[in-house]
Amino acid sequence: MSLILVTGMPGVGKTTIMRKVSVELRKQNVSVAGFYTEEVRDPQSGDRIGFDVVTFDGQRAPLARTTANHSTNPTVGRYSVWLSEFERLALPALDARNAPENGVLLLDEIGRMELKSRSFQERMKTIVKEVDAGKLRFVATVPLKSAGIDVIERLKRIKGCQTFHVKPSNRDDMYGDVKDAVMRLISS
């Protein structure tokens, strides 16, 4: 097994699980590459105004915003996706996946915003091939409604893919289940 997918509705706790897993892997002296996405809220109203991409070494860049400052950027719903900022940070984080060789690539998330980037799509095609060949240990979050997203469909078809569905009713226990699966993944 070299692939774990975590799915669930927005806001259910997938990112929290991934962040906790990254901490646990570091405690085990396992190298972590990749990134997670984090909500950005207006400090006055508390309304969600976008998302940032954050690497596991703490670098941060905008992924999407509700503001129309980047009107030429692609959109997902009410959000404008800031491709150049996302790619500047996310692509090197993905490229670090093979150094050192015993590491794990954590990715939160393979979603519609991230997939607006053609460069991200190309990296994901390569990652799918590496995972399928057993050359890469990969843990990723995917949207619950991911039918028709080719890269996710290809990942789900990889032999040994383990999928965890996080729900409000199981999210407290799900971290332990995912962590145990990741610990098995790094020991294999």
Side-chain angles (χ1 to χ4, degrees), residues 48-51 64-67 74-81 113:
R48 185 169 64 193
I49 58 170
F51 298 90
R65 294 291 188 273
T66 55
T67 57
T75 59
V76 174
R78 64 188 184 117
Y79 297 100
S80 171
V81 181
M113 288 183 192

Side-chain angles (χ1 to χ4, degrees), residues 15-33 36 55-57 104 106 175 179 182-183 186:
T15 299
T16 300
I17 289 171
M18 295 294 276
R19 290 179 70 183
K20 287 181 175 180
V21 164
S22 75
V23 169
E24 189 60 36
L25 287 169
R26 287 204 172 103
K27 285 181 188 175
Q28 303 291 325
N29 293 316
V30 175
S31 163
V32 175
Y36 61 93
T55 63
F56 287 101
D57 62 5
V104 176
L106 298 181
Y175 166 68
K179 182 186 85 165
V182 171
M183 292 302 115
I186 65 169

Side-chain angles (χ1 to χ4, degrees), residues 140-180:
T141 63
V142 297
L144 185 60
K145 297 177 180 179
S146 61
I149 301 176
D150 182 62
V151 68
I152 296 172
E153 297 297 326
R154 292 175 55 210
L155 284 167
K156 288 178 178 180
R157 288 192 299 266
I158 293 176
K159 184 178 179 185
C161 173
Q162 200 170 4
T163 303
F164 293 88
H165 184 170
V166 184
K167 305 173 189 173
S169 62
N170 72 3
R171 72 172 140 209
D172 294 333
D173 297 327
M174 193 55 65
Y175 166 68
D177 295 345
V178 172
K179 182 186 85 165
D180 291 347

Side-chain angles (χ1 to χ4, degrees), residues 2 12 22 38 58 62 64 69-70 72 77 79 86 98-100 107 110 112 122 127 129 134 148 154 157 181 185:
S2 59
V12 77
S22 75
E38 191 171 77
N69 295 351
H70 289 71
T72 61
Y79 297 100
F86 168 69
N98 295 317
L107 186 51
I110 306 170
R112 296 189 195 305
E122 292 304 314
I127 287 167
K129 289 177 186 174
R154 292 175 55 210
R157 288 192 299 266
L185 178 126

Side-chain angles (χ1 to χ4, degrees), residues 40 51-54 60-65 70 80-89:
V40 176
F51 298 90
D52 279 352
V53 58
V54 185
R60 175 183 297 269
L63 168 60
R65 294 291 188 273
H70 289 71
S80 171
V81 181
W82 293 20
L83 289 178
S84 61
E85 292 85 346
F86 168 69
E87 290 174 345
R88 178 183 51 78
L89 194 61

